[in-house]
Amino acid sequence: MQFSFCLILLSSIVVVEYSLAINDIEYIQCTSRCQPITVSFTDPLTFADCQEINETSNNYDTALVCGIEYTLDYTKEEININFHASNDTGSLEDQKPSSFIVQSMRLHLGEQQTGSNIITRKYGCNSENDCARKSYLNSIDNLINEGKTQIDKIISRLQNDSLITGPTSRRRCIDSTLPVEKPSVKCPIGICHFRLNEYQLDGQQKDVSQSCHQLVYPTLHSELEQHSPPSTQKDRLLLEYYCNKNVCNRNDIVHHIRDLIGEFTHGRSKVEDIVNEKTGNHSICQTISSTILVLFLVLFRLFI
């Protein structure tokens, strides 16, 4: 009789602790029931129609993944924001906590161009309640202020609107199809082009192209996807730009541009820092399993 009682008690503990694990580890509260929001660079933290939970509205859903997608327009100085929640964990690694960021950067380098300089960021996480909103709040000031500085540095490194073009120009560009000892070609009318596609496929792979190009308008396009913990299949980087300075597609300048994009992407709030805010949760399941095993062994020793 006593043994049966202990078995019932053990079963109850298993059910309760399993329920706690599901509630506390798997599902989180995420901002999601909001219409798309537009805010200015001067007031990026005020969401008039999407405030935190109050007596009259609830902007939260329970889900496995919190997400946010937002676009920074550095020309119009405004941000478009869209919160969402999802039970699709395919974009995350198979553990908790984890997160990912997908970032697109499109810059118009010439002063005569009328297009906007735009950054789009998509972020997802499962580390804690409302982690996507918290990521935005933690990083947006840096993206607006320091980010503008990084963009200006990228443009100044690649573009000079006062340079002449034509037969008298002394501009040269690196051509990756030429021998290493003579890698550059004269490029008086066109501009220099660089393209890198770096991805994971049974190890790190990359395709690189450098050349003289006849495109008229200098631009930069970057796409990156990063995961924490790092992914062996999903992490990737695309960097492509057209520039008008002399040999501006050479390797040392490429490395500098990559560093500037990295500083812009992470700033003071790296993906890893956000993910590791609640590292203790990662071992809760192991702790629960150990507790159940110890209780079972104790009961086995006492009554068998």
Side-chain angles (χ1 to χ4, degrees), residues 146-162:
E146 297 301 322
K148 179 63 166 60
T149 301
Q150 304 303 334
I151 289 174
D152 289 342
K153 287 181 180 179
I154 291 173
I155 293 175
S156 66
R157 200 74 174 89
L158 300 178
Q159 175 70 14
N160 185 340
D161 288 302
S162 64

Side-chain angles (χ1 to χ4, degrees), residues 10 289-304:
L10 177 60
S289 300
S290 301
T291 302
I292 293 172
L293 179 61
V294 169
L295 287 171
F296 179 80
L297 291 175
V298 169
L299 292 173
F300 183 84
R301 182 70 177 269
L302 289 174
F303 298 102
I304 302 298

Side-chain angles (χ1 to χ4, degrees), residues 17-76:
E17 295 212 22
Y18 178 78
S19 176
L20 288 174
I22 292 297
N23 290 331
D24 292 342
I25 297 177
E26 299 295 338
Y27 290 95
I28 52 180
Q29 295 292 309
C30 306
T31 300
S32 63
R33 299 179 185 179
C34 302
Q35 295 297 317
I37 305 162
T38 300
V39 296
S40 68
F41 274 21
T42 57
D43 190 17
L45 305 180
T46 301
F47 310 141
D49 298 323
C50 193
Q51 297 301 320
E52 296 186 16
I53 189 169
N54 54 50
E55 295 179 357
T56 60
S57 65
N58 182 1
N59 297 314
Y60 290 81
D61 276 320
T62 300
L64 297 177
V65 182
C66 293
I68 183 174
E69 184 170 354
Y70 55 105
T71 299
L72 296 95
D73 188 325
Y74 286 85
T75 305
K76 296 180 179 179

Side-chain angles (χ1 to χ4, degrees), residues 8 18 38 44 63 118 120 159 251 261 293:
I8 294 172
Y18 178 78
T38 300
I118 291 178
T120 299
Q159 175 70 14
N251 290 338
I261 292 175
L293 179 61

